[in-house]
Amino acid sequence: MLMCANKSKQSRLASPALVPYSSVGELARVIGTEGLVAGQVVDIGSTGLSDVGLEQLEFIHIHKTAALLEGSVVIGAILGGGSDEEIEKLRKFARCIGLLFQVVDDILDVTKSSQELGKTAGKDLMTDKTTYPKLIGIEKSREFAEKLNKDAKDQLAGLIWRRRLL
C-alpha cells in the first residue's frame, strides 16, 4: 500500500516576505494537476471499471481527500512559521489522516445503518464503487486504518508546539 509517504520534494522558502507566495503555491499544488485535479481525473476514468486496484484507489484518495487536508494543514504551518522539517511532518500527518478518513468511511458504509450514519448506508455497494473493504476485506481495512492512525500520530511525535502572536 502506498500509505502516506512523502510525495513532495518542494521546500518552503525561508524568507518571511515569501511566506504568502509559498502558501499560494502550496494551495495551487494541492488543488492542481498534482493534487485534486489528478485524483478527479483518475476517479472519473475509473468509474465503471471492474479492475480498479488498491494502488489506483489510494492514488484517488491521496490526491483528493488527503490533498485537501494536506493543503489546509501545510498552509497553516507555513503561515505559522513552521520549519521545513515541521512542515513535512505535518504534510505526512495530514496525508495519513486524509487516507484514514476514506478507509473509515468505506468501513462505516458497510457496517453501519443509514440511521447511524445520517446518510444512505451501503451506497458504495449499490453503485459497485471500489472501496477498501471490497478490495481487502473489512478486517484488513480496519488494520490499515489502525496503521494510518498510528503513522499519523508518529508524525506529530517530537514536534514542539509553540505559541506565537501574529
Side-chain angles (χ1 to χ4, degrees), residues 5-11 24-42 58-68 70-71 88 91 95:
N6 188 6
K7 69 177 181 186
S8 175
K9 304 279 188 230
Q10 185 178 8
S11 176
V24 170
E26 182 66 27
L27 179 61
R29 189 188 65 74
V30 299
I31 63 173
T33 58
E34 293 181 40
L36 280 171
V37 170
Q40 187 66 14
V41 166
V42 173
E58 284 189 18
F59 181 92
I60 291 166
H61 292 319
I62 286 171
H63 288 82
K64 288 177 71 176
T65 308
L68 287 173
E70 182 181 334
E88 287 311 308
R91 180 184 305 283
R95 198 171 298 136

Side-chain angles (χ1 to χ4, degrees), residues 43 46-49 52 57 60-61 64 102 105-106 109 119 122-135:
D43 193 7
S46 301
T47 303
L49 298 179
V52 176
L57 181 62
I60 291 166
H61 292 319
K64 288 177 71 176
Q102 287 299 153
D105 187 61
D106 287 354
D109 190 65
K119 64 179 186 177
K123 189 176 177 183
D124 293 342
L125 283 173
M126 288 185 277
T127 59
D128 198 30
K129 184 177 174 190
T130 302
T131 65
Y132 288 92
K134 181 178 178 179
L135 291 177

Side-chain angles (χ1 to χ4, degrees), residues 39-99:
Q40 187 66 14
V41 166
V42 173
D43 193 7
I44 290 169
S46 301
T47 303
L49 298 179
S50 59
D51 62 345
V52 176
L54 192 58
E55 277 190 40
Q56 195 167 355
L57 181 62
E58 284 189 18
F59 181 92
I60 291 166
H61 292 319
I62 286 171
H63 288 82
K64 288 177 71 176
T65 308
L68 287 173
L69 287 166
E70 182 181 334
S72 300
V73 169
V74 169
I75 290 168
I78 290 169
L79 294 173
S83 68
D84 285 350
E85 181 182 345
E86 291 167 330
I87 290 168
E88 287 311 308
K89 282 181 167 277
L90 289 168
R91 180 184 305 283
K92 292 175 189 175
F93 161 79
R95 198 171 298 136
C96 288
I97 293 297
L99 192 51

